[in-house]
Amino acid sequence: MPIPEDVSGFELDKGVQQELQSLPKGLAEDVGKNLVMVARLIDEDPEGAYGYSRVALRLASRVAAVREAAGFAAYANQKYSEALAEFRAARRMTGNVELWPVMADCERGLGRPEKALDMAGAPEVQKLDKAGQVEMRLVAAGARRDMEQLDAAIVTLQSPELASNSVQPWTARLRYAYADALLAAGREGEAREWFAKAVESDKDGSTDASDRLAELDGVEFVDAFDEDENDGAEDGAAPAQAEGEQRDEQGQ
């Protein structure tokens, strides 16, 4: 797969670069560049990221960082069985537990929420840092919801991290999950309060909390581009264009 000229491989985390030093220099450079492309594309073009991850995996399957990147690329494409296998391989190589929450979420993706809950209660969770423990709590709450245990999901999310006024990288997602669980349980007033709190802490737009809050408040957003198109139709747009817009409005 083509690699843009601006990609050098040095964009990678220092720890990953050190892992790649176990490879011959030319091979390490090729693998590094493919890993950069995985990281660059995984949010906007997960299929493209997956393709680059397969190249890196073919070149260096014995490097833990490569297995981990392949796992995340598969996960982003909802290939949960493949992702879980890659995460397990990376964990065997490193002994680290930081992948435990995403491994549990793969179990959810495979339709095994009970297994995810078992993992949430495993000793490995105590070895996670705070961010990992919060992530594990989110996964466990999701598993409860998969099993239609809404009240249990709500209780699972109630924690010192949720109650804290301190804003951490996970705060917005935790508050959002709690608000969403409350709404699913029919507790709309409380849900609105927590969606508002999620908005306050969501500085980088990692959730759609503002949209959910507006929806609860009955606010409707009008797309300015659609307004311009409608104005064009009224001012004498071609009949076929106007008819197409009418079909769009009717949901046909």
Side-chain angles (χ1 to χ4, degrees), residues 97-247:
V97 298
E98 60 187 21
L99 294 173
W100 197 253
V102 71
M103 289 169 63
D105 206 38
C106 286
E107 296 287 1
R108 284 186 60 212
L110 291 168
R112 302 193 291 247
E114 297 89 350
K115 177 62 177 176
L117 287 176
D118 287 344
M119 293 179 68
E124 285 82 355
V125 176
Q126 302 305 316
K127 301 176 183 178
L128 294 169
D129 60 15
K130 181 61 68 176
Q133 290 180 5
V134 170
E135 195 65 36
M136 192 72 248
R137 189 176 292 277
L138 288 167
V139 173
R144 291 293 185 188
R145 292 191 62 172
D146 293 342
M147 299 166 68
E148 299 184 356
Q149 299 175 358
L150 286 176
D151 289 342
I154 291 170
V155 171
T156 298
L157 293 169
Q158 292 171 345
S159 62
E161 293 80 18
L162 180 68
S164 175
N165 291 323
S166 174
V167 175
Q168 303 295 334
W170 62 78
T171 302
R173 291 178 58 239
L174 182 59
R175 292 176 176 179
Y176 182 95
Y178 189 59
D180 195 46
L182 288 169
L183 188 60
R187 295 160 62 174
E188 186 172 315
E190 294 171 86
R192 190 205 175 282
E193 175 187 349
W194 282 97
F195 276 127
K197 290 182 178 181
V199 170
E200 291 175 0
S201 57
D202 193 0
K203 305 303 182 184
D204 58 358
S206 62
T207 74
D208 64 347
S210 59
D211 293 340
R212 300 293 299 277
L213 183 61
E215 183 180 337
L216 285 174
D217 289 342
V219 177
E220 294 185 8
F221 294 101
V222 177
D223 193 318
F225 182 73
D226 289 342
E227 281 191 335
D228 291 342
E229 284 188 340
N230 291 334
D231 290 343
E234 292 172 1
D235 292 340
Q241 178 183 348
E243 182 180 349
E245 290 171 354
Q246 185 176 9
R247 285 200 300 271

Side-chain angles (χ1 to χ4, degrees), residues 77-99:
N77 284 276
Q78 300 182 5
K79 299 177 183 290
Y80 298 117
S81 180
E82 185 177 324
L84 185 57
E86 297 299 341
F87 290 142
R88 284 173 173 167
R91 184 166 180 266
R92 283 195 300 271
M93 292 175 178
T94 65
N96 294 337
V97 298
E98 60 187 21
L99 294 173

Side-chain angles (χ1 to χ4, degrees), residues 14-23 62-66 94:
K14 295 296 183 182
V16 176
Q17 292 186 44
Q18 288 178 356
E19 280 193 62
L20 295 180
Q21 288 178 3
S22 63
L23 303 172
R62 295 184 178 181
V63 176
V66 171
T94 65

